[in-house]
């Protein structure tokens, strides 16, 4: 960029919104989030150097059936005491397994999900308070993880922010009222040109779904930031979803343009029990926590680095000769940075 100074001005007076990372609450940041997180941050840096006003957005999965399942599980198992991100994840796995063994419990989960969007119900406030606690625990843990890579976000507005924005949801309903169709089950959908599958937006009881919230997010971001470009750094498993969302956006507001899904291959893990590669499943607990990967890389880097400790100093050696010395803190910081650099390179290459 220093050799091409005109690049610094190509984004002048333009806003680019970049949606990346976007994990679910009450779960550890997994290794499968690494590609979206690091690629999104890399793109943000490039656009900033090119003169754009960059808005980094983290669309948290903090609403819907997953959250309802967690709240139900907390009460079902009569949990008490201080919760941590690890305990929340364990609870999610435990209640998922319980529902698998007793399918009738899913009806109770569906009821919790309905109550979350019904502020007239007697349990609404209690469930909202539980949800707020779970979200706060998750955000604190996420920010610790992002700090490893010097990543910050301008906006953590997730699904809940848009699902509970009655003004915005009603605007969508009113603008699309003459375009929405009703299925045999009572749910409402749009027909999107060149896409065979319908784009469902509302359940039969009027509740929002994931697609509705993504549509609402685009409208909100356009009205708030007046972006000239909107980028989603999400794996290729969401290709059809974004085609539907972008198609619905054109119907909702033709002025909103330049949205792009920057997809990439899915990050897989090897399931030794099944002897197959898969995306993993937080429902079953079969995921790699990113912090575990980071700690393993740091451990491996220490083992590869020839050094010894004496008088609270760390000495690096080569051919049994001291080549440099560090304080313990300097040594730990350098080892960590080398390990993280390898992780970043692997994600971006």
């Amino acid at each position: 960029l220093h050799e091409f100074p005109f690049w610094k001005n190509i984004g002048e007076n333009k806003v680019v919104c970049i949606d990346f990372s976007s994990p679910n609450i009450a779960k550890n940041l997994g290794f499968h989030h690494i590609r979206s997180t690091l690629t999104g941050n890399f793109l943000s840096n490039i656009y900033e150097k090119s003169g754009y006003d960059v808005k980094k957005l983290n669309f948290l999965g903090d609403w819907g059936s997953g959250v309802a399942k967690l709240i139900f599980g907390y009460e079902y198992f009569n949990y008490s005491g201080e919760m941590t991100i690890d305990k929340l994840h364990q609870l999610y796995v435990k209640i998922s397994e319980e529902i698998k063994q007793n399918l009738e419990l899913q009806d109770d989960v569906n009821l919790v999900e309905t109550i979350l969007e019904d502020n007239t119900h007697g349990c609404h406030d209690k469930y909202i308070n539980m949800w707020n606690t779970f979200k706060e625990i998750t955000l604190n843990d996420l920010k610790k993880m992002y700090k490893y890579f010097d990543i910050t976000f301008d906006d953590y507005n997730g699904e809940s922010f848009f699902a509970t924005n009655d003004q915005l949801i009603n605007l969508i309903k009113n603008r699309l009222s003459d375009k929405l169709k009703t299925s045999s089950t009572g749910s409402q959908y749009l027909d999107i040109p060149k896409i065979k599958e319908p784009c469902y937006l509302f359940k039969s009881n009027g509740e929002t779904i994931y697609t509705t919230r993504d549509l609402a997010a685009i409208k909100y971001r356009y009205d708030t930031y007046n972006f000239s470009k909107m980028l989603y750094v999400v794996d290729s498993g969401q290709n059809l979803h974004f085609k539907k969302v972008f198609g619905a956006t054109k119907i909702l507001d033709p002025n909103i343009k330049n949205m792009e899904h920057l997809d990439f291959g899915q990050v897989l893990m090897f399931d030794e029990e099944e002897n197959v590669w898969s995306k993993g499943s937080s429902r079953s607990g079969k995921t790699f926590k990113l912090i575990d990967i980071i700690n393993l890389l740091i451990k491996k880097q220490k083992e590869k680095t020839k050094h010894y400790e004496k008088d609270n100093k760390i000495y690096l050696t080569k051919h049994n000769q001291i080549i440099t010395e560090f304080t313990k803190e300097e040594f730990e910081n350098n080892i960590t940075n080398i390990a993280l650099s390898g992780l970043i390179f692997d994600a971006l290459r």
Side-chain angles (χ1 to χ4, degrees):
L1 289 178
H2 291 297
E3 296 176 19
F4 303 100
F6 60 87
W7 278 23
K8 295 180 181 180
N9 301 320
I10 62 174
E12 191 173 0
N13 299 321
K14 295 178 182 177
V15 175
V16 59
C17 289
I18 305 181
D19 181 314
F20 64 100
S21 195
S22 304
N24 295 326
I25 71 163
K27 299 171 189 174
N28 303 98
L29 194 66
F31 183 67
H32 57 284
H33 291 113
I34 195 71
R35 200 167 289 170
S36 169
T37 303
L38 295 182
T39 306
N41 192 58
F42 173 79
L43 286 167
S44 299
N45 292 338
I46 291 293
Y47 274 99
E48 283 178 1
K49 291 293 184 182
S50 302
Y52 283 86
D53 180 6
V54 178
K55 303 299 179 185
K56 294 185 282 186
L57 314 176
N58 198 327
F59 188 63
L60 294 175
D62 62 350
W63 204 248
S65 58
V67 174
K69 183 187 293 184
L70 195 71
I71 292 172
F72 171 72
Y74 188 87
E75 291 196 319
Y76 182 80
F77 293 116
N78 197 26
Y79 265 60
S80 61
E82 184 180 0
M83 294 298 289
T84 64
I85 192 67
D86 286 321
K87 288 181 179 178
L88 285 175
H89 197 171
Q90 290 164 10
L91 171 59
Y92 187 80
V93 173
K94 188 176 180 180
I95 191 59
S96 296
E97 186 60 32
E98 188 75 10
I99 293 170
K100 191 176 177 181
Q101 301 301 322
N102 185 358
L103 297 178
E104 292 180 358
L105 294 178
Q106 186 60 48
D107 293 334
D108 298 312
V109 173
N110 295 340
L111 178 60
V112 173
E113 186 175 0
T114 298
I115 292 172
L116 282 169
E117 293 203 21
D118 180 8
N119 57 18
T120 65
H121 195 282
C123 290
H124 175 78
D125 289 346
K126 179 178 71 170
Y127 289 165
I128 288 295
N129 288 335
M130 291 170 66
W131 164 77
N132 272 318
T133 299
F134 298 158
K135 183 175 180 180
E136 184 179 359
I137 292 170
T138 305
L139 277 173
N140 288 337
D141 184 73
L142 284 174
K143 288 176 181 178
K144 287 179 186 176
M145 294 305 305
Y146 292 138
K147 194 173 182 180
Y148 275 102
F149 305 99
D150 294 324
I151 295 175
T152 57
F153 288 90
D154 299 286
D155 186 330
Y156 277 99
N157 291 330
E159 292 182 61
S160 63
F161 179 83
F162 302 102
T164 58
N165 189 327
D166 292 339
Q167 184 177 359
L168 184 56
I169 296 301
N170 287 334
L171 181 146
I172 291 174
K173 285 182 177 178
N174 292 334
R175 286 203 180 176
L176 298 178
S177 59
D178 60 334
K179 306 283 196 314
L180 285 170
K181 297 182 179 180
T182 304
S183 71
S184 57
T185 59
S187 53
Q188 292 184 297
Y189 65 93
L190 285 176
D191 282 329
I192 307 296
K194 299 181 181 179
I195 298 179
K196 293 181 180 180
E197 291 187 18
C199 176
Y200 285 96
L201 292 176
F202 297 100
K203 297 180 182 179
S204 57
N205 59 6
E207 291 177 12
T208 63
I209 62 172
Y210 184 78
T211 309
T212 330
R213 297 160 208 156
D214 243 337
L215 178 61
I218 291 178
K219 177 60 177 168
Y220 172 85
R221 292 163 176 177
Y222 181 75
D223 292 344
T224 303
Y225 300 120
N226 191 28
F227 61 78
S228 58
K229 190 179 293 187
M230 174 80 221
L231 305 178
Y232 288 86
V233 187
V234 185
D235 74 50
S236 56
Q238 297 295 317
N239 283 343
L240 179 59
H241 168 75
F242 282 111
K243 286 179 181 178
K244 290 181 179 180
V245 173
F246 295 163
T249 301
K250 290 178 182 178
I251 297 172
L252 176 69
D253 188 342
N255 293 318
I256 305 178
K257 300 174 182 177
N258 297 328
M259 298 165 291
E260 188 174 356
H261 174 205
L262 304 178
D263 65 335
F264 53 84
Q266 295 178 345
V267 179
L268 305 180
M269 58 172 279
F270 188 69
D271 187 329
E272 294 182 351
E273 292 181 9
E274 302 293 334
N275 197 35
V276 294
W277 288 90
S278 69
K279 281 185 66 178
S281 170
S282 42
R283 187 180 293 110
S284 64
K286 293 181 178 180
T287 56
F288 287 122
K289 293 190 291 187
L290 181 56
I291 187 61
D292 290 344
I293 301 295
I294 289 174
N295 288 336
L296 178 62
L297 290 172
I298 292 172
K299 178 175 178 288
K300 292 288 186 183
Q301 187 59 47
K302 276 186 182 177
E303 292 172 354
K304 288 179 62 177
T305 305
K306 294 180 180 179
H307 67 284
Y308 69 90
E309 181 178 347
K310 184 179 180 181
D311 300 328
N312 289 321
K313 290 286 186 74
I314 304 294
Y315 296 92
L316 264 62
T317 62
K318 186 175 183 180
H319 304 309
N320 297 321
Q321 298 292 318
I322 295 174
I323 56 174
T324 189
E325 67 177 59
F326 295 105
T327 65
K328 281 187 176 181
E329 184 178 2
E330 289 171 338
F331 179 72
E332 292 292 338
N333 287 340
N334 283 329
I335 288 292
T336 299
N337 286 337
I338 292 169
L340 293 176
S341 296
L343 184 59
I344 294 169
F345 176 78
D346 184 67
L348 296 180
R349 69 186 173 88

